[in-house]
Amino acid sequence: MSSVFQEGLRQMWWLLAVELGGLSAASLLARYGQDVLVLESHDLPGGAAHSFQIKGYKFDSGPSLFSGLSSRGPQANPLAQVLDALGESIPCVSYDSWMVYLPEGDFLTRIGPTEFFKDLQKYAGPNAVQEWQKLLDTVLPLSTAAMALPPAAIRGDFGVLLTAAARYAPSLIRSFMKMGPQGALGATKLLRPFSEIIDSLNLKDPFIRNWLDLLCFLLSGLKADGTLAAEIVYMFAEWYKPGCVLEYPLQGSGAIVDALVRGMEKFGGRLSLGSHVQEIVVEGGRAVGVKLESGLFIRARKAVVSNASMWDTLKLLPTAERPKSYQEKVQKTAQCESFMHLHLGFDAKGIPEDLDLHHIVVNDWKAGVDAEQNVVLISIPSVVSPNLAPKGKHVLHAYTPGTEPYDLWAGLDRRSAEYKQLKAQRSEVMWKAVERAIGPGFSRDKCEVKLVGTPLTHQRFLRRNRGTYGPAIRAGEESFPGQGTPISQLYCCGDSTFPGIGVPAVAASGTIVANSLVSVDEHTRLLDAIGI
């Protein structure tokens, strides 16, 4: 370890609290030929995207619903563009459906332009079918404009006029011309809440509005009235166009982390695990390095990049070096709530062989999709990738997505009877959802692995302030901050920065940081190399 740090004294870039955003930034900086040292507090890289193993079961710790990992070109998933730049790929299985359990009924729904109409006809009626068609007719053309400017072309200085504006102006103009005057006018709503598009189309069917709130919430942690239209329009392009598929990495979400680390190291970048940053050192208003929990000081010649949340990054700054306006803005930013997690390993005997990979349970539309204990997501990746569990077994991850109040858990001793009792109580909604999804062949008592995660788990292992999902920044009212900070040479990436929450967004944020720290010529050469 000491030799790594001694060598690190010559490094140019530093990243801390690394998740997918930080790894995207680090790997691209290495690809650009910069010297990179990544400091990871945990003993595994990847943050919320890492995988972990217990008794032969390989669990995803966080996201499990992916699309566009194999896409390439200007309209590709931002994470796929990073992987393309690194010359890395992730073996995936493709599928097009998931099970939903709604107040209206339980059914298998499929992505694509036509399949969902069958579900609407059966569970919502002809009016919902007509409204959905109206929505697709409006949103899918808008997606061309939303995807015309690749995040990989964006940088945080005036060089963006060359790498983005000038380079992609022709495609943007063609997109607007194809849409016509009315469509071009609609494109101005991409930077507004998605609810404004819904309202402008006079969509009133309860099922449609509830479904769109659910999609927005799963994407951003906010309902349609708080989700940026461009985000959901981008998702529609990936889910409701001909030939759309979902993808799951055959080695679990950890395969994404492995590919980014592999790509970074291939270009000379270094990763140091178990290296907890205690403080960002500031001298003369400039971030000049970091101090580790061990007491070791590491000097950065050019920049410090933090992938910690905005609240955790603020805490890493010395009190005297926190600009008042910056501190007040961070402290006033609303937070999404945290998570409950349930990780299970169990025997496949007696379990239906046609079990689906993904399941979404909504208990009550009236309560709202953002109500606590209301929505449960379930992933059983061993149904498509049996190697993630011992032979004849299944691995399962269920969670309540960003709806678990931290205040219920604040101050509890994780070893106390009170904590254990609350875990049992608050995990019951997930157990019931799992039993509903798998059926009578499933038994809690027969699970070989039972792990319950709480907001305190999120706070402890992911170093997340209050275990939060991320900032609850409402579209139309405020916007995600950029990657720069008031502290010279201190940059941020991840879900506390533009474009926001979600795997594609955090990969884009890391890309923007990397682009901003190299010359326009270097940036342009990279865009040429990956064909965008």
Side-chain angles (χ1 to χ4, degrees), residues 142-211:
L142 285 178
S143 69
T144 304
M147 302 171 75
L149 181 60
I154 301 175
R155 52 189 292 123
D157 58 21
F158 286 114
V160 71
L161 296 175
L162 296 174
T163 61
R167 188 182 182 98
Y168 297 98
S171 61
L172 281 167
I173 293 171
R174 286 194 298 269
S175 298
F176 286 125
M177 291 179 64
K178 287 181 180 178
M179 288 188 290
Q182 193 66 30
L185 181 63
T188 62
K189 296 179 180 177
L190 289 172
L191 299 180
R192 299 290 299 167
F194 186 63
S195 59
E196 293 187 6
I197 292 179
I198 298 173
D199 293 338
S200 70
L201 296 174
N202 200 31
L203 304 184
K204 295 181 178 179
D205 184 87
F207 186 93
I208 293 292
R209 295 191 73 101
N210 285 330
W211 184 257

Side-chain angles (χ1 to χ4, degrees), residues 122-351:
K122 182 175 181 179
Y123 294 98
N127 184 60
V129 172
Q130 294 171 7
E131 289 197 357
W132 188 256
Q133 185 63 64
K134 184 191 289 188
L135 181 67
L136 290 182
D137 289 344
T138 299
V139 166
L140 292 182
L142 285 178
S143 69
T144 304
M147 302 171 75
L149 181 60
I154 301 175
R155 52 189 292 123
D157 58 21
F158 286 114
V160 71
L161 296 175
L162 296 174
T163 61
R167 188 182 182 98
Y168 297 98
S171 61
L172 281 167
I173 293 171
R174 286 194 298 269
S175 298
F176 286 125
M177 291 179 64
K178 287 181 180 178
M179 288 188 290
Q182 193 66 30
L185 181 63
T188 62
K189 296 179 180 177
L190 289 172
L191 299 180
R192 299 290 299 167
F194 186 63
S195 59
E196 293 187 6
I197 292 179
I198 298 173
D199 293 338
S200 70
L201 296 174
N202 200 31
L203 304 184
K204 295 181 178 179
D205 184 87
F207 186 93
I208 293 292
R209 295 191 73 101
N210 285 330
W211 184 257
L212 292 174
D213 267 342
L214 177 63
L215 293 181
C216 288
F217 183 72
L218 297 179
L219 181 68
S220 72
L222 296 169
K223 295 192 293 186
D225 60 359
T227 299
L228 192 68
E231 289 186 72
I232 197 73
V233 167
Y234 182 91
M235 185 276 292
F236 262 74
E238 288 200 324
W239 286 18
Y240 294 109
K241 278 188 174 180
C244 293
V245 294
L246 298 169
E247 295 173 303
Y248 183 79
L250 289 174
Q251 297 300 320
S253 65
I256 300 173
V257 177
D258 292 342
L260 291 172
V261 172
R262 194 167 56 241
M264 179 188 71
E265 293 179 339
K266 178 168 59 180
F267 289 100
R270 299 175 180 83
L271 169 66
S272 179
L273 300 173
S275 301
H276 181 56
V277 173
Q278 185 178 68
E279 183 179 273
I280 298 171
V281 179
V282 179
E283 295 177 357
R286 300 167 60 225
V288 298
V290 295
K291 180 181 178 182
L292 300 186
E293 197 172 51
S294 65
L296 184 64
F297 168 65
I298 306 174
R299 181 171 293 275
R301 290 207 326 234
K302 275 204 167 181
V304 175
V305 182
S306 172
N307 192 181
S309 75
M310 62 170 68
W311 304 280
D312 294 294
T313 299
L314 182 65
K315 287 190 293 187
L316 288 172
L317 289 170
T319 304
E321 301 293 346
R322 302 174 186 175
K324 185 178 179 181
S325 59
Y326 176 63
Q327 179 167 309
E328 289 178 348
K329 185 175 182 178
V330 169
Q331 292 174 339
K332 288 180 180 178
T333 302
Q335 293 184 358
C336 294
E337 294 289 4
S338 190
F339 288 73
M340 288 294 296
H341 291 273
L342 183 64
H343 289 96
L344 304 176
F346 56 94
D347 200 310
K349 186 177 180 181
I351 304 299

Side-chain angles (χ1 to χ4, degrees), residues 88-104:
E88 295 290 336
S89 61
I90 302 171
C92 294
V93 60
S94 298
Y95 63 104
D96 66 356
S97 63
W98 70 92
M99 277 295 299
V100 291
Y101 307 83
L102 309 178
E104 293 85 353

